[in-house]
């Protein structure tokens, strides 16, 4: 008879451990992917407006930010360095900008998340010529004081290894 309570306890532990018990994540957190998608929408709105302050409000505001962009240098460390990258981009392309995001997929934990997307951008140079580019973007996010921010970003385009040229209009 003493074995019954032990077996019952083991069965309950197994049931909870296999997902049969209450969820360890509060229901309120199911909105995290939607909040991150809203962050990406704010980023796109700021990009189209060429608003560097609004763009940078989507990123962690300190030296922990790490970005691998499609242009040199190899990496940007810190929010101040990345701000200069945006300022340089809009200075080199002072004309109209259009940017759109597609295929955004987000996976969120309690305080960290990641997402990937395809971003199509058309920039207009000083000479009026357009740069039409499709990039792959992977973002890492941190939840700080209840707000999701981009803490790591990797932007890339495929490269044809035979010609060493980027594929700026990459298609699946």
């Amino acid at each position: 008879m003493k074995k019954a309570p032990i077996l019952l306890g083991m069965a309950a532990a197994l049931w909870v451990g296999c997902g049969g018990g209450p969820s360890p994540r509060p229901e309120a957190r199911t909105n995290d992917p939607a909040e991150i998608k809203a962050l990406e929408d704010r980023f796109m709105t700021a990009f189209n407006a060429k608003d560097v302050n609004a763009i940078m409000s989507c990123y962690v505001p300190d030296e922990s930010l790490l970005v691998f962009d499609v242009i040199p240098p190899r990496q940007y460390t810190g929010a101040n360095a990345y701000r200069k990258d945006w300022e340089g981009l809009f200075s080199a392309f002072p004309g109209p900008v259009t940017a759109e995001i597609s295929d955004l997929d987000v996976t969120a934990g309690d305080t960290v998340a990641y997402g990937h997307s395809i971003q199509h951008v058309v920039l207009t140079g000083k000479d009026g010529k357009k740069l039409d580019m499709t990039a792959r973007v992977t973002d890492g996010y941190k939840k700080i004081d209840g707000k999701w921010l981009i803490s790591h970003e990797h932007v890339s385009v495929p490269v044809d290894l035979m010609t060493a040229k980027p594929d700026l209009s990459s298609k699946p």
Side-chain angles (χ1 to χ4, degrees), residues 20-42:
S23 171
R25 285 185 67 167
E27 289 301 316
R29 296 217 173 114
T30 59
N31 288 335
D32 286 344
E35 290 174 14
I36 292 169
K37 288 177 180 181
L39 169 69
E40 292 289 357
D41 287 343
R42 285 192 307 276

Side-chain angles (χ1 to χ4, degrees), residues 25-42 101 103-116 139 141-143 146-150:
R25 285 185 67 167
E27 289 301 316
R29 296 217 173 114
T30 59
N31 288 335
D32 286 344
E35 290 174 14
I36 292 169
K37 288 177 180 181
L39 169 69
E40 292 289 357
D41 287 343
R42 285 192 307 276
I101 189 170
D103 302 319
L104 177 60
D105 184 57
V106 174
T107 300
D110 292 340
T111 58
V112 294
Y114 65 90
H116 56 84
D139 284 323
Y141 310 93
K142 283 185 186 176
K143 194 173 208 180
K147 181 180 174 184
W148 287 104
L149 296 170
I150 301 167

Side-chain angles (χ1 to χ4, degrees), residues 42-43 45-47 49-59 61 79-80 82-83 86-87 90 147 149:
R42 285 192 307 276
F43 169 82
T45 298
F47 192 151
K50 299 168 83 172
D51 184 341
V52 175
N53 289 330
I55 288 170
M56 293 308 299
S57 75
C58 298
Y59 294 88
N80 290 333
Y82 199 41
R83 171 183 289 279
W86 282 105
E87 291 167 347
F90 294 139
K147 181 180 174 184
L149 296 170

Side-chain angles (χ1 to χ4, degrees), residues 134-169:
T134 300
R136 308 170 294 190
V137 179
T138 301
D139 284 323
Y141 310 93
K142 283 185 186 176
K143 194 173 208 180
I144 301 172
D145 296 328
K147 181 180 174 184
W148 287 104
L149 296 170
I150 301 167
S151 60
H152 175 80
E153 186 164 80
H154 190 125
V155 183
S156 66
V157 295
V159 174
D160 180 331
L161 295 179
M162 299 306 288
T163 64
K165 292 185 179 186
D167 178 2
L168 298 181
S169 61

Side-chain angles (χ1 to χ4, degrees), residues 82-140:
Y82 199 41
R83 171 183 289 279
K84 289 177 186 170
D85 180 41
W86 282 105
E87 291 167 347
L89 176 74
F90 294 139
S91 176
F93 293 93
V97 171
T98 58
E100 58 189 13
I101 189 170
S102 65
D103 302 319
L104 177 60
D105 184 57
V106 174
T107 300
D110 292 340
T111 58
V112 294
Y114 65 90
H116 56 84
S117 64
I118 302 299
Q119 296 183 11
H120 179 239
V121 178
V122 179
L123 300 159
T124 306
K126 293 176 183 177
D127 58 2
K129 289 185 181 176
K130 295 190 183 299
L131 171 64
D132 189 329
M133 181 175 99
T134 300
R136 308 170 294 190
V137 179
T138 301
D139 284 323

